[in-house]
């Protein structure tokens, strides 16, 4: 790992000014992606700004119809939260399925969402659950936030502070995990709210997480696994790698979507 | 050079380190606590698991600076003098190790499990060990060890 300057500011304002003042500054939250990336020398930030001491970024609040999760809240905290389990159990299940226990003790929702790894679980949950991404500068809908592989609408000096999830009528997430990394080879999150359905797919798209609109239309009129019969997913624009071909991933999207609808 | 201070196995320690120093490097190279192992060095194998403020983490994927002010427990801090911790004793009784390389991480991970789930099922134990890889035992006796420790902790 290349060396860097390390800061642990005590407030969001100090973190923002440290980030703005750095030559090539990077925010570190749980570090579960950034530190391995730096160890491989694939990232070489001049300055690392650790948000661990910014107190108001941690914690979960709920008003019964939505859940707001601070950016520095760990996956283990989301999975174990009685508020999340009560209002959006599917979201607690997403957090419980990330990585392994030690990763869940460090990794944060803010880090995962801001990183937008194409195989991460949270982006699919945000997109399917129609989450609002809150930053120190404003808010984004999940539809506007995820702009491509490892790419988001965040400005260079913008810091993600919280994610707000409205309560759906029904939701579930199903993933086919890579047996070694536990990253999603394909993960599908489905949600039904009112008469509308949203389906978000992670692990498969070349541009990262995406919505499956044909499935959404079918589920809007009949939210049942059989509504997805006959919908074939194109392998165009899907990833091929040593773990799975694009065609295999296309097939898995259909399988995981049906399982998610059945579980919702 | 940043200075870090933390409590390791009940003792206050402080040191000047490069910002890029990993917690596992600080423990092994600065403090000479070599019980915590580096296996894969990519946060997959779990040989480096220690507790930071009571939670198991992979010390190869945490900066020492991130542990500033924390309470760190390593495998060296588990036993009470010559008396092994019940988890260590159970690993010995049940042949829960062969080469022993993964064992410090296995034990620290297992202790964290029992700290918040006193009576885990076999399935819960196996699932919890997802982030700890053993190449010798096939996990069977590790699971038995943790089941025995659960009756004594």
């Amino acid at each position: 790992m290349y060396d860097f300057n390390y800061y642990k500011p005590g407030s969001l304002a100090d973190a923002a000014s440290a980030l703005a003042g750095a030559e090539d500054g990077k925010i570190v939250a749980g570090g579960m992606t950034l530190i391995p990336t730096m160890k491989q020398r694939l990232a070489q930030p001049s300055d690392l700004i650790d948000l661990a001491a910014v107190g108001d970024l941690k914690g979960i609040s709920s008003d019964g119809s939505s859940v707001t999760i601070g950016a520095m809240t760990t996956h283990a905290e989301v999975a174990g939260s009685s508020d999340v389990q009560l209002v959006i159990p599917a979201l607690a299940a997403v957090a419980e399925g990330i990585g392994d226990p030690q990763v869940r003790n460090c990794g944060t929702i803010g880090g995962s969402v801001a990183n937008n790894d194409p195989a991460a679980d949270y982006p699919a949950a945000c997109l399917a659950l129609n989450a609002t991404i809150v930053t120190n500068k404003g808010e984004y809908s999940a539809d506007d936030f995820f702009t491509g592989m490892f790419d988001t609408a965040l400005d260079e000096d913008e810091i993600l502070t919280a994610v707000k999830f409205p309560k759906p009528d029904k939701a579930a997430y199903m993933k086919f995990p890579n047996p070694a990394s536990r990253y999603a080879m394909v993960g599908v999150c489905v949600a039904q709210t009112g008469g509308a359905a949203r389906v978000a797919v992670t692990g498969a798209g070349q541009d990262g997480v995406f919505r499956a609109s044909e499935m959404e239309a079918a589920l809007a009129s009949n939210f049942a696994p059989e509504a997805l019969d006959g919908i074939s997913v194109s392998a165009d624009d899907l990833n091929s790698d040593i773990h799975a071909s694009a065609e295999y991933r296309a097939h898995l999207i259909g399988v995981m979507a049906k399982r998610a609808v059945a579980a919702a | 050079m940043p200075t870090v201070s933390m409590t390791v196995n009940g003792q206050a320690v402080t040191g000047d380190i490069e910002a890029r120093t990993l917690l596992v490097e600080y423990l092994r190279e600065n403090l000479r606590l070599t019980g915590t192992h580096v296996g894969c060095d990519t946060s997959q194998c779990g040989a480096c698991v220690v507790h930071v403020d009571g939670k198991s983490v992979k010390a190869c994927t945490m900066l020492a600076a991130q542990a500033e002010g924390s309470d760190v427990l390593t495998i060296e801090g588990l036993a009470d003098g010559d008396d092994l911790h019940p988890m260590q004793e159970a690993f010995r009784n049940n042949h829960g190790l062969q080469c022993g390389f993964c064992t410090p991480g296995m034990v620290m991970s297992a202790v964290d499990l029992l700290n918040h789930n006193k009576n885990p099922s076999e399935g819960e134990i196996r699932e919890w060990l997802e982030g700890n890889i053993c190449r010798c035992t096939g996990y069977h006796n590790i699971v038995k060890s943790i089941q025995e420790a659960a009756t004594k902790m």
Side-chain angles (χ1 to χ4, degrees), chain A residues 207-228:
Chain A
D207 291 327
V209 66
F210 66 90
R211 285 173 67 186
S213 44
E214 202 182 338
M215 289 184 175
E216 291 183 352
L219 292 171
S221 47
N222 177 22
F223 196 83
E226 55 270 21
L228 300 177

Side-chain angles (χ1 to χ4, degrees), chain A residues 108-250:
Chain A
T108 66
I109 187 168
S112 172
V113 171
N115 188 49
N116 194 17
D117 187 298
D121 301 298
Y122 267 132
C126 290
L127 203 52
L129 293 166
N130 199 14
T132 300
I133 317 298
V134 186
T135 76
N136 60 336
K137 293 184 172 184
E139 294 188 348
Y140 301 88
S141 71
D143 285 312
D144 292 337
F145 185 78
F146 300 107
T147 50
M149 188 181 282
F150 294 111
D151 201 26
T152 68
L154 287 173
D155 280 341
E156 286 291 319
D157 59 345
E158 191 168 12
I159 300 173
L160 198 160
T161 57
V163 186
K164 276 197 279 195
F165 294 90
K167 176 183 165 68
D169 297 337
K170 285 178 172 181
Y173 177 64
M174 282 287 152
K175 77 165 155 176
F176 193 92
N178 178 302
S181 71
R182 295 294 169 195
Y183 270 101
M185 278 166 57
V186 165
V188 179
C189 192
V190 301
Q192 184 190 37
T193 309
R198 292 170 68 101
V199 179
V201 180
T202 190
Q206 284 175 6
D207 291 327
V209 66
F210 66 90
R211 285 173 67 186
S213 44
E214 202 182 338
M215 289 184 175
E216 291 183 352
L219 292 171
S221 47
N222 177 22
F223 196 83
E226 55 270 21
L228 300 177
D229 285 344
I231 295 181
S232 65
V233 178
S234 166
D236 295 347
D237 303 325
L238 298 188
N239 287 324
S240 271
D241 56 26
I242 56 166
H243 306 298
S245 65
E247 291 73 20
Y248 183 70
R249 282 191 162 90

Side-chain angles (χ1 to χ4, degrees), chain B residues 45 96-99 102 106 132-139 142:
Chain B
C45 81
L97 60 141
Q98 287 179 29
C99 86
C102 73
M106 284 286 177
N132 292 86
I133 294 174
C134 172
R135 300 286 75 167
C136 305
T137 61
Y139 303 94
I142 292 174

Side-chain angles (χ1 to χ4, degrees), chain A residues 9-130:
Chain A
S11 73
L12 193 58
D14 287 351
S17 62
L19 185 59
E23 186 191 330
D24 181 18
K26 194 91 180 145
I27 294 285
V28 62
M32 294 295 97
T33 302
L34 181 58
I35 292 173
T37 308
M38 289 171 65
K39 284 168 74 175
Q40 292 176 65
R41 296 191 166 180
L42 296 172
Q44 187 183 357
S46 62
D47 299 80
L48 215 55
I49 297 123
D50 186 347
L51 296 182
V54 182
D56 41 357
L57 294 183
K58 228 171 170 21
I60 297 167
S61 63
S62 167
D63 60 7
S65 62
S66 71
V67 173
T68 302
I69 303 176
M72 289 296 286
T73 310
T74 64
H75 309 324
E77 288 162 346
V78 174
S81 159
S82 52
D83 280 336
V84 180
Q85 288 168 3
L86 186 72
V87 180
I88 317 178
L91 186 59
V94 168
E96 181 67 37
I98 298 173
D100 59 48
Q102 288 72 39
V103 168
R104 293 195 288 274
N105 278 339
C106 292
T108 66
I109 187 168
S112 172
V113 171
N115 188 49
N116 194 17
D117 187 298
D121 301 298
Y122 267 132
C126 290
L127 203 52
L129 293 166
N130 199 14

Side-chain angles (χ1 to χ4, degrees), chain B residues 90-135:
Chain B
F91 268 68
R92 186 162 78 173
N93 290 345
N94 292 282
H95 200 79
L97 60 141
Q98 287 179 29
C99 86
F101 191 86
C102 73
T103 312
M106 284 286 177
V107 168
M108 297 310 288
S109 194
V111 169
D112 187 22
L113 170 64
L114 295 191
N115 280 346
H116 68 265
N117 182 354
K118 298 281 170 224
N119 191 23
S121 66
E122 183 187 334
E124 286 173 327
I125 293 172
R126 289 184 182 275
E127 214 166 287
W128 183 265
L129 294 181
E130 205 164 86
N132 292 86
I133 294 174
C134 172
R135 300 286 75 167

